[in-house]
Amino acid sequence: MSARLLLLEDDPAIARTVAYALERDGLLVTHSLLVHDARQQMLSHRFDLLVLDVGLPDGSGLDLLRDVRNAAQTAAIPVLMLSAHGEEIDRVLGLELGADDYLTKPFSPRELAARVKALLRRAGNGHTAAPAASAATLFHDDEAGQRISLRGQPLPLTRREYRLLAHLLRGAGRIHSRDALLAAAWGDDSESTDRTVDTHIKTLRAKLREVDPARDYISTHRGMGYCLDV
Ligand code: CA
């Protein structure tokens, strides 16, 4: 059975390319141009996934997201938010309101399709649903070669990134302070600061995302540090 997806997007050109990419992957796409119409569609159909733009002529996709999360029968539907470039505040708000993933315009339709499929897989609607695996079994650390693979795919890590990720992996599930990560990856290099750690965690996340767009392996714990989640 095909997954049914609601696309709320007022830009016709974006909606067309997105719908085309998703339908080619076998999804059933219902398209709404307005928040009001999307609400009506949700009353008469059951959707497996929502793709919501933020800025719409009659309101915000964030309002719909809030309502979706607050209603018991729709609370668990995966939601991917779309937003215009640079709307950082929307991204943060979207994630706080419970969006599962986020894409900033302009994005490639292929990337959107890949993220949608990953979200459906995670929600158990995909045809190739993978069993839930712990981070430890997903990663393979080749210590001798200083290489780490995720889901069988070697990650293109720099030396520092390798050391950071290897350290996080060895202590998976524990929070590591920036100081501990600095010591692990940089040793006594006095040039490095907390910011250096943040910057490298950011590039590391991007590289993990390339392989597994649906999951964020590294969580930030404000004032404490970072954790590789298992
Ligand atoms: Ca818009």
Side-chain angles (χ1 to χ4, degrees):
M1 203 185 76
S2 298
R4 186 186 273 270
L5 181 146
L6 176 67
L7 169 65
L8 172 58
E9 168 62 66
D10 62 320
D11 183 320
I14 294 176
R16 234 184 347 261
T17 39
V18 164
Y20 176 76
L22 295 171
E23 281 167 354
R24 201 180 39 189
D25 279 343
L27 294 158
L28 292 171
V29 179
T30 300
H31 174 219
S32 292
L33 291 152
L34 299 170
V35 179
H36 173 74
D37 180 59
R39 286 187 200 280
Q40 293 301 317
Q41 294 287 354
M42 290 197 68
L43 291 176
S44 43
H45 300 287
R46 201 188 64 80
F47 291 100
D48 298 305
L49 189 132
L50 311 177
V51 177
L52 308 178
D53 185 24
V54 173
L56 295 143
D58 67 335
S60 164
L62 291 169
D63 295 332
L64 183 59
L65 170 63
R66 189 183 286 118
D67 296 345
V68 162
R69 285 292 176 256
N70 284 337
Q73 66 272 36
T74 56
I77 301 178
V79 176
L80 189 150
M81 298 298 301
L82 304 175
S83 182
H85 177 67
E87 289 176 333
E88 171 75 8
I89 186 74
D90 290 340
R91 194 181 71 81
V92 172
L93 201 56
L95 295 174
E96 276 177 3
L97 289 174
D100 298 279
D101 203 356
Y102 196 95
L103 266 181
T104 303
K105 295 172 186 176
F107 53 83
S108 84
R110 278 183 60 182
E111 173 161 26
L112 178 92
R115 298 234 190 152
V116 161
K117 277 190 283 183
L119 284 174
L120 287 172
R121 252 199 320 272
R122 198 166 66 174
N125 293 317
H127 299 289
T128 53
S134 75
T137 60
L138 292 171
F139 287 94
H140 175 72
D141 183 2
D142 166 16
E143 284 180 47
Q146 302 242 310
R147 277 186 300 263
I148 295 175
S149 323
L150 170 59
R151 295 183 179 275
Q153 232 169 289
L155 297 163
L157 303 177
T158 64
R159 197 159 53 94
R160 303 290 190 205
E161 287 164 359
Y162 167 78
R163 289 195 195 165
L164 266 182
L165 185 56
H167 186 79
L168 286 166
L169 265 177
R170 270 176 235 127
R174 286 204 308 268
I175 299 172
H176 300 265
S177 69
R178 288 178 174 79
D179 281 346
L181 292 171
L182 259 182
W186 280 266
D188 294 320
D189 184 354
S190 56
E191 299 279 276
S192 307
T193 66
D194 287 6
R195 276 198 73 106
T196 319
V197 175
D198 295 340
T199 311
H200 281 73
I201 290 283
K202 207 169 149 186
T203 57
L204 197 49
R205 275 186 173 137
K207 289 177 182 180
L208 295 174
R209 224 161 221 281
E210 288 276 308
V211 177
D212 192 350
R215 194 163 160 181
D216 199 1
Y217 288 94
I218 302 173
S219 56
T220 307
H221 296 262
R222 199 167 293 174
M224 293 175 8
Y226 295 101
C227 175
L228 187 95
D229 298 314
V230 286

